[in-house]
Every structure is written in structure tokens, then in C-alpha cells.
């Protein structure tokens, strides 16, 4: 986890399969709102964002990544659960090394004590506004 008032550095992986994108589902209890974000997580001190990306996918869903390409850097200032947040996101496009992940509808995993879900979602559900994708700058990469 990160400390309130500090900028958090993340490494996220954009994985596409046709019109689908592999996304982690989140929920803000204060806003009572479900949102979706690319999978990945925090970069530890002394760790590159590329190493963090691979570590996070391995830790969370035991997945190895391949064809990893750096897309760019995003800055996200937001409010979650009533608290301000600030993230610098290193965004990568990548593929799963194991084709079994493309056949799964969803993957349930643990992040600390929280149980989370990652799933394949049709990109058009985000573009239409039916589902909320964060951060909004992420749209430029879809």
C-alpha cells in the first residue's frame, strides 16, 4: 500500500484480444461505484516499472507476460473512498504467454486481504459509457 499524501508509481499492462481488454474490477464504497482499470500494481523502490509489471501479474494471477511494449506515462489525480490519490502510471501493452488466459471469462485473485476480479470486457462497453474505465486518459490507448 501507499502512504496518504504521496504520489504512487504504478506499472499497468494493457492486454487486448480483438475487441476485448483484460481489466481489473474495483469498487469505491464512498461513491458506491464500480470502475475498471488495467491490471498491474505499485513499483517498489529500486525496481523498474517493467520488473514491477511482470511481478504483479505473477503474484496476482500467476501469469507470465510476453511481447511487452512501453506505451507511455499517464498521470492520474483522483478521489477513492473519500481520500485524494495521485498516481504516475507506466503503461505497457502486452500479451499473455499462456493462451489459456484468453479462454477464461474471469480470474478471481487476492490482493492482500481483498478479493478482486479481473475479466475480459468488450472495449465498446467503456466507449459507450456503460462501464467506467479509469483513468480516462486510458482511452487514447484503446
Amino acid at each position: 500500500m501507499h502512504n496518504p499524501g504521496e504520489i504512487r508509481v504504478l506499472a499497468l499492462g494493457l492486454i487486448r484480444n480483438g475487441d476485448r481488454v483484460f481489466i481489473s474490477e474495483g469498487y469505491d464504497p464512498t461513491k458506491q461505484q464500480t470502475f475498471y482499470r488495467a491490471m498491474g500494481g505499485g513499483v517498489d523502490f529500486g525496481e523498474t516499472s517493467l520488473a514491477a509489471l511482470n511481478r504483479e501479474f505473477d503474484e496476482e494471477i500467476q501469469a507470465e507476460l510476453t511481447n511487452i511494449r512501453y506505451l507511455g506515462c499517464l498521470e492520474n489525480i483522483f478521489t477513492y473512498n473519500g481520500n485524494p490519490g495521485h498516481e504516475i502510471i507506466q503503461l505497457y501493452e502486452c500479451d499473455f504467454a499462456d493462451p489459456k488466459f484468453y479462454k477464461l471469462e474471469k480470474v478471481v485473485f487476492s490482493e492482500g486481504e481483498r478479493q478482486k476480479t479481473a475479466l475480459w470486457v468488450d472495449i465498446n462497453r467503456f466507449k459507450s459509457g456503460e462501464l467506467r474505465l479509469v483513468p480516462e486518459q486510458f482511452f487514447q490507448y484503446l
Side-chain angles (χ1 to χ4, degrees):
M1 238 19 215
H2 68 286
N3 296 322
E6 290 185 2
I7 298 172
R8 186 171 181 218
V9 179
L10 300 177
L12 302 182
L14 171 60
I15 302 176
R16 285 184 277 202
N17 181 262
D19 289 338
R20 303 183 313 159
V21 63
F22 194 73
I23 295 290
S24 179
E25 185 177 74
Y27 183 75
D28 186 324
T30 300
K31 296 175 186 173
Q32 297 184 350
Q33 185 177 61
T34 299
F35 61 90
Y36 299 85
R37 186 191 83 183
M39 282 206 54
V43 178
D44 293 335
F45 182 82
E47 178 181 47
T48 66
S49 61
L50 178 59
L53 178 73
N54 283 299
R55 175 183 51 76
E56 288 287 340
F57 271 83
D58 182 52
E59 286 176 0
E60 292 178 351
I61 62 171
Q62 295 73 54
E64 184 180 334
L65 301 174
T66 188
N67 302 323
I68 302 170
R69 298 164 301 284
Y70 181 72
L71 292 177
C73 182
L74 304 174
E75 186 168 18
N76 186 26
I77 299 172
F78 60 97
T79 301
Y80 171 75
N81 201 19
N83 299 309
H86 190 168
E87 301 169 333
I88 302 295
I89 299 167
Q90 297 295 332
L91 183 61
Y92 292 87
E93 184 173 43
C94 46
D95 297 316
F96 286 118
D98 188 338
K100 78 175 183 184
F101 285 98
Y102 294 99
K103 297 174 184 165
L104 299 174
E105 184 177 319
K106 66 181 178 179
V107 179
V108 177
F109 63 97
S110 295
E111 189 176 78
E113 294 181 11
R114 296 181 299 168
Q115 192 171 46
K116 298 188 80 176
T117 301
L119 62 159
W120 288 103
V121 176
D122 187 306
I123 292 169
N124 293 312
R125 295 181 74 190
F126 297 118
K127 290 182 176 178
S128 72
E130 176 189 348
L131 299 178
R132 183 166 179 252
L133 183 64
V134 296
E136 288 184 15
Q137 308 98 298
F138 197 74
F139 280 105
Q140 67 189 355
Y141 297 98
L142 292 179

